[in-house]
């Protein structure tokens, strides 16, 4: 058995093998292989093609679970039906809850901001598991589909904890939380509340929040105003690519998916099928992701030496074809060789990374837990039944539907209090101009609030059953009060 630290390696599809080879060449030249051994694992298009809809073999998954580290190239996702994204599957299945990306101006990489003399240097921390990335989708009626958006308190806590801890380690003195809590008051509201809850533990770090649309404009106008932004999953995904555009494109954006036990280091970009196999791809993103990995496992000296060489190489005008520059572009392989040859050199036009005198790997692979972990945040909250929202597929008018539902709920503890269509109230009041689709939300609440706590869920299931005999029910949502407050939102216009 090797005494080197083992890291699972998936080369990826498209340009993956070329850029991985270039990065490994640099690691080898920097002496990293004295401490590390890369263990190839099978995942990607060839696995999908063999009929495995996960795109990852069981052996590959087990190797990654055992080693706790995966360095991976980009992987193709079949579009439309069939397999899901391997990248998303791995992050979610292995609990890699935080996506850390660093966006920095690089010497020799011309951008609008480099020309204007505006330095860009900030991190995006994106929640990696929840939000719409649960991929929980249903066709509800002939005309309506839904995607459930889940935000949990423990999931939010994990990512905020990681963000503040990383900010403290990196000496970052301001962290922003991006959100849309003005519209999604409960889900983004929870994400935001947990951000400020964690912020209290870091009084020396300035914590601020910013609505996502304003954040996008500010990032374009004044990218130097941000140092770290923490975001829910989908918003983080979009902001990350916007941020990549600020520093010269996807070829320069590294990414690390960090979990408590298992972490995955990968390029932000995809498989670039248009240039695959042509020795044209830029390996910088994957190399920078590898440097985050080297730092994650304690090899700070090697990471700093390689980063200085990369900066020196770019500064001296050596670049791949995706970068605008005065000199002719070089190929992927030649770019990797130039970095390997420049090891020990430092850039002069930007601050060189400090090289620690010594460093060796200090990562301990995870011990396999005996069962899945249940995470909890609000352990002592109590809830009581307040009613239910029943979703119905019908083309009836609001008044006709309300009449029929009024009859159905006679003799039950519930009364119809509101109906909405696409989230906008259309009964008991509403605008005649509100346009509707075949998907009504019908809200039933206790006739007598004094009954709170004395009714169990069976009563609302009985009501559901009666409604189900008269209408196609497409969805059912129990309404509960939590610690005396409604655990559900009002309709627009209610
Ligand atoms: P892409 O990132 O592969 O390519 C977008 C454009 O950027 C292309 O013109 C490409 O040539 C260019 N580009 C990307 N990386 C480059 C690099 N390193 N050097 C030079 N140019 C580069 O995005 P896409 O075309 O939308 O997706 C292709 C495939 O990749 C899809 O199957 C997608 O699902 C997958 N994908 C995988 C990942 C991942 O593995 N993390 C991420 C995104 C997309």
């Amino acid at each position: 058995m090797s005494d080197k630290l083992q890291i699972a390696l998936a080369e990826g599809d498209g340009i993956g093998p070329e850029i991985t080879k270039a990065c490994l060449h640099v690691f080898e030249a920097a002496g990293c292989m004295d401490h590390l051994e890369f263990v190839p694992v099978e995942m990607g298009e060839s696995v999908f093609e063999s009929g495995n809809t996960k795109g990852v073999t069981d052996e590959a998954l087990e190797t990654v679970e055992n080693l706790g580290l995966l360095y991976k190239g980009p992987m193709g996702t079949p579009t439309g039906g069939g397999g899901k994204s391997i990248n998303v599957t791995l992050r979610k299945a292995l609990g890699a809850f935080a996506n850390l990306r660093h966006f920095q101006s690089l010497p020799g990489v011309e951008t609008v901001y480099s020309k204007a003399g505006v330095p860009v240097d900030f991190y995006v921390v994106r929640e990696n598991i929840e939000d719409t990335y649960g991929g929980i989708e249903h066709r509800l009626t002939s005309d309506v589909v839904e995607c459930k958006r889940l935000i949990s308190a423990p999931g939010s806590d994990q990512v905020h904890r990681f963000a503040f801890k990383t900010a403290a380690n990196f000496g970052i003195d301001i962290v922003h939380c991006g959100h849309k809590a003005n519209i999604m008051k409960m889900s983004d509201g929870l994400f935001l509340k947990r951000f400020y809850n964690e912020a209290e533990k870091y009084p020396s770090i300035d914590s601020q929040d910013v609505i996502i649309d304003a954040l996008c404009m500010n990032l374009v106008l004044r990218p130097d105003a941000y140092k770290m932004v923490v975001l829910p999953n989908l918003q983080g995904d979009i902001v990350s690519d916007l941020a990549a555009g600020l520093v010269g494109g996807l070829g320069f954006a590294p990414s690390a998916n960090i979990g408590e036990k298992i972490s995955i280091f990968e390029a932000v970009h995809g498989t670039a099928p248009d240039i695959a196999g042509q020795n044209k791809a830029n390996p910088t993103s994957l190399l920078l992701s590898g440097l985050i990995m080297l730092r994650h496992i304690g090899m700070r000296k090697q990471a700093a030496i390689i980063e200085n060489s990369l900066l020196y190489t770019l500064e001296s005008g050596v670049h791949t074809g995706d970068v605008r520059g005065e000199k002719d572009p070089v190929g992927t392989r030649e770019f990797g060789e130039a970095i390997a040859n420049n090891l020990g050199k430092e850039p002069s036009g930007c601050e060189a990374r400090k090289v620690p005198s010594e460093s060796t790997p200090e990562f301990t692979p995870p011990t396999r837990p005996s069962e899945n972990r249940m995470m909890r945040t609000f352990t002592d909250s109590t809830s009581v039944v307040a009613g239910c929202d029943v979703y119905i597929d019908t083309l009836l008018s609001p008044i006709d539907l309300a009449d029929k539902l009024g009859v159905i709920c006679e003799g039950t503890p519930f009364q119809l209090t509101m109906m909405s269509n696409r989230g906008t109230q259309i009964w008991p009041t509403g605008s005649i101009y509100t346009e509707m689709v075949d998907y009504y939300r019908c809200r039933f609440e206790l006739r007598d609030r004094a009954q709170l706590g004395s009714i169990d869920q069976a009563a609302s299931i009985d009501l559901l059953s009666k409604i189900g005999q008269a209408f196609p029910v497409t969805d059912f949502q129990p309404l509960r009060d939590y610690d005396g407050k409604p655990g559900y939102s009002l309709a627009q216009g209610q």
Side-chain angles (χ1 to χ4, degrees), residues 15 72 74-77 87 266 268-275 281-282:
I15 58 170
K72 69 175 276 295
M75 314 246 164
T77 305
N87 314 302
E266 61 182 346
V268 168
H269 57 74
T271 57
D274 51 334
I275 54 167
N282 185 351

Side-chain angles (χ1 to χ4, degrees), residues 21 24 29 63 65 88 169 174 180 189 193 249 263 381 411 454 491:
K21 205 166 173 197
L24 294 185
T63 304
E65 286 178 350
V88 178
N169 283 345
I174 180 163
K180 194 73 183 171
K193 257 193 216 132
S263 297
S381 76
S454 64

Side-chain angles (χ1 to χ4, degrees), residues 318-389:
V318 179
H319 60 85
T320 45
D322 53 317
V323 182
R324 244 185 290 161
E326 283 167 18
K327 293 191 184 167
D328 286 342
V330 299
T332 312
R333 200 169 39 247
E334 292 71 23
F335 187 68
E337 275 162 13
I339 299 169
N341 293 337
N342 288 332
L343 286 166
K345 295 181 182 158
E346 294 190 348
S348 55
C350 68
E351 204 181 327
R353 306 294 177 251
K354 282 200 182 69
V355 180
S357 56
E358 213 34 72
S359 62
T360 45
E362 52 198 36
F363 178 81
T364 313
T367 345
R368 201 175 182 80
S370 55
E371 56 184 23
N372 292 86
R373 180 161 65 121
M374 176 63 74
M375 303 190 296
R376 297 290 314 276
T377 293
F378 298 116
T379 46
D380 55 1
S381 76
T382 55
S383 72
V384 289
V385 170
C388 57
D389 280 349

